[in-house]
Amino acid sequence: MQFGFLVVFLPLLGSLISGFLGKFISTRFIEIFTSILISISAIIACLIFYDVIINSYSENILLFRWISSGTFNVNWSINIDSLSALMFVVITLVSSLVHIYSIGYMSDDPHKPRFMSYLSLFTFSMLVLVSSDNFLQLFFGWEGVGLCSYLLIGFWFKKETANAAAIKAFIVNRVGDFGLALGIFLIFYLFGSVNYQDVFSEVPNYISNEISVIGLKFNTINLICIFLFIGAMGKSAQIFLHTWLPDAMEGPTPVSALIHAATMVTAGVFLVVRCSPIYEYSELALNLITIVGISTAFFAATVALVQNDIKKIIAYSTCSQLGYMFFAAGVGAYNVAMFHLFTHAFFKALLFLGAGSVIHSFQNEQNIEYMGGVWKKLPYTWLLMVIGTLALTGFPFLSGFYSKDAILEFAYLKGSSIGYLAAGFGVLTAVMTSIYSWRLLFKTFHGSFKNTKLNFNSMHESPMIMIIPLIILSLGAIFSGIIFKEILIGPSSSTDFWKNSIFFKEPLSQDHPPTWFLFITPILVTIIIPISYYIFVKKTYILKLIVETNYPVFKFFKNKWYFDDLYDFLFVKGCKKLGLYFWKKIDIRLIDKFGPDGISSLVKLCSLLAVKFQSGFIYQYAFIMLIGFSVLLTFLILY
């Protein structure tokens, strides 16, 4: 596929033209032009993916030599293999649909060319990240999507909460990025290269290598894996570095769908899977990934249970599903993690854009407590969100059923304590996922109309320019699992499809879990549907009784496990107090006093003393000259 480089650079072209020429070209032309370029990129990506499946196509397209300094040599390449081809499809397809959807959703925004430019630039950065053949190019794309997320989340920069959310996302991601940078530094220190092929081929020779840090010895491979995973935690919003993701919903809804459903937040999962040749030699790092994934999946699901903002519920759902992907990678099922990433992109983008359609119809209302009773008024949005909800909850034979159940099965088949723990928490999280997903749907579309600011008869469906992308995504939510299951996670997938793009030190188990385990999750998530309808629509007093009975737990979940409060106390207020101390005690009383202020005072004092010599009397000047001459003469005689 000789046009592979167009997949990466067409979005960049769209971004540059929209960003620099947007003021001189009509807005309609800009939105259509950028959408067409992204759509062409998506079509080429699909053709490449087809070529990879049918003909095992792979190629490393060298564009130019980027850095050459001593032994440090880095190229700028477009590396196409099974892993990058799959990511190409996910990124470009979702991005193209978001671009088209934005034509309708952002129709009243006066700065649409800037918005389309940011969307295209984000897509380009993400494509650079996944198409790299070295860690430095990956880091370039990694920082690019971080910058674009800041620009997109804070797109409405006159809105104070949007600015705060953008800054929060940027700072929290810098923490993770620092870990990634340390990992890359350590890779170059150990292997003398940052090229994937050079590093991955040498890993088995360094599995016993140790490095001394402040007198303590650490296994170098373990340290590299942990640092890389810290970077992945920040980008993929895993627990402790997750706080930016829900707040990022302050950006326009298309941003939520693009960045926080299908692309940027999956970069961490991609990084771990891409580095499988390193992680397979670090059991410590894999166990850490599993534990963090389990914790994130469970934590985010509990918080989503009690949220009322429609976008934040879906955001916490994203956080939870990313936890599933990570603990799949942690138990060694990298291909299953990518399979869930692939299916999740469709139904989560569908839910976000569906939520955008609801918000559009409710004139920017996002609280589900002020919705309800509109399923007949918004029939297309309702039906499409039902499909997305079914897929998310793992309802039988939809995409989420195949990928999520595969994660639980492989976790169970791991046969270790941590594998059983992951499987158990995975089932529990799946039940909670079903509860909060149907709560969102029933409170949004069913029951009585609870919005006092709007007239029920004025409610209407979104324009077709917003509905068509939802229809296309719904097809992916229904069919992507059953069509690609055998290709991506079948018994021969590691040799037929993934080949060298994912490394398995030991082949994955081909056994089958007990029958009861296979059926428990589908049965539970199906039973939850009528129960949720009964509690959230028919007998709402039961919900109030549950909340009152378990109010401390409800409050704990409502306050998001107090992570924001804890970070505010430890870091925000702590840093402010530390800053005030250094400003008043160190800066003013020490540095300023003995530095610029002290020097200026000394100069002033000297000038005041010097003024006293300027009396204007000749005899005083002659006397001073005589004293000076005497001193000089004495010095010459003595020396």
Side-chain angles (χ1 to χ4, degrees):
M1 183 61 63
Q2 55 183 332
F3 298 110
F5 69 95
L6 291 177
V7 176
V8 177
F9 288 102
L10 283 177
L12 177 63
L13 177 62
S15 175
L16 293 175
I17 291 176
S18 179
F20 290 105
L21 302 179
K23 292 183 178 180
F24 311 105
I25 306 175
S26 71
T27 300
R28 179 63 67 187
F29 175 82
I30 287 295
E31 58 193 16
I32 293 174
F33 181 71
T34 52
S35 299
I36 288 174
L37 288 182
I38 296 290
S39 299
I40 294 172
S41 182
I43 292 169
I44 298 173
C46 290
L47 293 174
I48 290 174
F49 187 54
Y50 177 80
D51 204 8
V52 170
I53 295 172
I54 301 300
N55 301 318
S56 301
Y57 167 72
S58 64
E59 186 177 7
N60 192 359
I61 304 171
L62 174 64
L63 297 181
F64 55 86
R65 302 223 174 252
W66 188 15
I67 299 174
S68 181
S69 177
T71 60
F72 185 68
N73 296 290
V74 177
N75 299 327
W76 191 287
S77 304
I78 298 176
N79 182 38
I80 300 175
D81 61 5
S82 306
L83 190 57
S84 59
L86 182 71
M87 291 299 295
F88 277 178
V89 172
V90 170
I91 296 165
T92 57
L93 193 56
V94 172
S95 180
S96 61
L97 295 174
V98 167
H99 274 73
I100 295 168
Y101 179 91
S102 298
I103 295 174
Y105 190 86
M106 303 290 288
S107 57
D108 297 328
D109 196 285
H111 306 292
K112 191 183 289 185
R114 179 165 60 90
F115 182 74
M116 302 302 273
S117 177
Y118 289 167
L119 285 183
S120 296
L121 183 62
F122 172 85
T123 307
F124 165 73
S125 299
M126 192 67 196
L127 290 168
V128 168
L129 190 159
V130 300
S131 65
S132 61
D133 72 343
N134 61 79
F135 285 99
L136 194 62
Q137 185 181 332
L138 176 140
F139 192 74
F140 176 89
W142 193 275
E143 293 303 301
V145 293
L147 169 63
C148 293
S149 69
Y150 170 79
L151 296 173
L152 286 166
I153 295 167
F155 177 74
W156 289 320
F157 55 85
K158 293 183 180 179
K159 187 179 175 184
E160 188 176 341
T161 51
N163 273 329
I167 293 169
K168 186 175 183 179
F170 197 77
I171 291 174
V172 174
N173 271 277
R174 294 292 71 72
V175 177
D177 294 353
F178 181 64
L180 176 62
L182 289 177
I184 295 173
F185 295 155
L186 199 52
I187 284 171
F188 182 71
Y189 170 79
L190 185 64
F191 300 103
S193 175
V194 292
N195 296 312
Y196 293 156
Q197 190 173 1
D198 298 336
V199 173
F200 296 160
S201 62
E202 289 295 318
V203 171
N205 300 327
Y206 289 89
I207 55 177
S208 299
N209 187 275
E210 292 184 336
I211 186 171
S212 180
V213 181
I214 59 172
L216 300 175
K217 288 190 175 182
F218 298 92
N219 181 278
T220 315
I221 298 297
N222 285 341
L223 213 54
I224 288 172
C225 289
I226 291 171
F227 280 139
L228 293 178
F229 180 57
I230 290 172
M233 285 177 65
K235 199 66 74 182
S236 292
Q238 294 301 282
I239 195 166
F240 302 119
L241 295 179
H242 68 279
T243 54
W244 67 271
L245 183 63
D247 290 4
M249 297 302 107
E250 290 292 340
T253 300
V255 173
S256 305
L258 180 62
I259 296 181
H260 309 112
T263 49
M264 173 178 161
V265 292
T266 61
V269 181
F270 170 82
L271 174 65
V272 172
V273 175
R274 174 62 83 190
C275 295
S276 57
I278 308 177
Y279 278 99
E280 280 292 88
Y281 292 97
S282 176
E283 187 175 353
L284 173 66
L286 289 178
N287 288 338
L288 175 65
I289 291 171
T290 307
I291 292 170
V292 170
I294 295 168
S295 305
T296 305
F298 178 75
F299 153 74
T302 60
V303 177
L305 286 171
V306 297
Q307 295 296 306
N308 291 325
D309 187 303
I310 187 171
K311 286 170 67 177
K312 285 191 176 181
I313 295 172
I314 303 173
Y316 276 109
S317 172
T318 299
C319 201
S320 184
Q321 297 304 307
L322 288 164
Y324 272 102
M325 297 176 206
F326 273 110
F327 81 68
V331 298
Y334 305 102
N335 56 337
V336 183
M338 291 305 300
F339 182 42
H340 192 52
L341 184 155
F342 180 66
T343 60
H344 173 264
F346 293 105
F347 58 73
K348 188 51 62 67
L350 172 60
L351 287 171
F352 264 119
L353 296 184
S357 179
V358 171
I359 294 167
H360 183 269
S361 298
F362 274 92
Q363 297 182 17
N364 298 320
E365 178 59 66
Q366 294 185 200
N367 192 326
I368 60 174
E369 295 293 338
Y370 301 120
M371 298 179 184
V374 294
W375 72 277
K376 289 183 179 179
K377 289 285 187 179
L378 313 175
Y380 298 127
T381 302
W382 171 78
L383 178 60
L384 293 166
M385 285 198 72
V386 167
I387 294 171
T389 301
L390 289 170
L392 171 62
T393 58
F395 191 80
F397 309 116
L398 273 73
S399 59
F401 166 75
Y402 292 101
S403 58
K404 188 186 291 185
D405 279 26
I407 291 175
L408 299 177
E409 289 171 22
F410 277 100
Y412 185 90
L413 291 171
K414 180 72 173 176
S416 61
S417 300
I418 199 166
Y420 293 135
L421 183 69
F425 270 92
V427 173
L428 178 59
T429 303
V431 172
M432 290 191 290
T433 301
S434 187
I435 294 171
Y436 69 67
S437 297
W438 290 112
R439 173 178 175 263
L440 182 151
L441 190 85
F442 290 142
K443 278 187 167 289
T444 302
F445 293 100
H446 295 269
S448 59
F449 184 73
K450 297 182 284 292
N451 195 304
T452 57
K453 297 179 181 179
L454 300 174
N455 186 346
F456 177 75
N457 294 322
S458 68
M459 300 300 295
H460 59 84
E461 187 61 90
S462 298
M464 288 308 295
I465 193 71
M466 293 171 63
I467 297 297
I468 290 173
L470 297 180
I471 295 172
I472 297 172
L473 288 169
S474 70
L475 296 176
I478 297 170
F479 298 113
S480 62
I482 193 169
I483 292 175
F484 292 99
K485 179 185 177 183
E486 288 301 314
I487 296 171
L488 300 181
I489 63 170
S492 60
S493 61
S494 59
T495 54
D496 291 349
F497 179 76
W498 296 109
K499 294 183 172 59
N500 297 324
S501 61
I502 296 179
F503 176 73
F504 299 94
K505 191 168 67 172
E506 296 177 1
L508 293 176
S509 173
Q510 299 301 322
D511 297 332
H512 292 280
T515 305
W516 65 266
F517 187 80
L518 292 174
F519 283 96
I520 186 171
T521 307
I523 290 173
L524 288 173
V525 299
T526 304
I527 292 173
I528 290 296
I529 301 174
I531 295 175
S532 297
Y533 183 77
Y534 186 76
I535 293 175
F536 299 123
V537 179
K538 290 296 184 182
K539 304 292 182 181
T540 54
Y541 69 88
I542 297 177
L543 180 63
K544 294 179 181 177
L545 184 62
I546 294 172
V547 171
E548 291 172 1
T549 308
N550 303 277
Y551 187 73
V553 177
F554 170 80
K555 188 177 180 182
F556 183 68
F557 291 166
K558 188 73 174 177
N559 286 284
K560 301 165 283 188
W561 290 29
Y562 293 98
F563 271 108
D564 283 309
D565 302 86
L566 180 64
Y567 288 172
D568 184 62
F569 175 75
L570 291 177
F571 301 116
V572 179
K573 291 180 179 176
C575 288
K576 282 183 178 179
K577 289 180 180 178
L578 189 64
L580 286 171
Y581 174 81
F582 276 103
W583 171 43
K584 293 184 177 179
K585 303 292 185 182
I586 307 298
D587 198 11
I588 294 177
R589 294 190 180 183
L590 184 65
I591 298 175
D592 284 353
K593 185 176 181 180
F594 295 100
D597 291 347
I599 293 171
S600 63
S601 298
L602 180 63
V603 171
K604 185 178 181 181
L605 178 62
C606 293
S607 65
L608 289 173
L609 293 174
V611 165
K612 294 181 179 181
F613 288 103
Q614 306 299 321
S615 62
F617 298 110
I618 295 176
Y619 64 85
Q620 286 186 353
Y621 297 159
F623 178 69
I624 293 170
M625 292 172 64
L626 180 62
I627 292 174
F629 178 74
S630 300
V631 171
L632 179 62
L633 188 62
T634 303
F635 178 80
L636 292 173
I637 292 171
L638 292 177
Y639 297 98

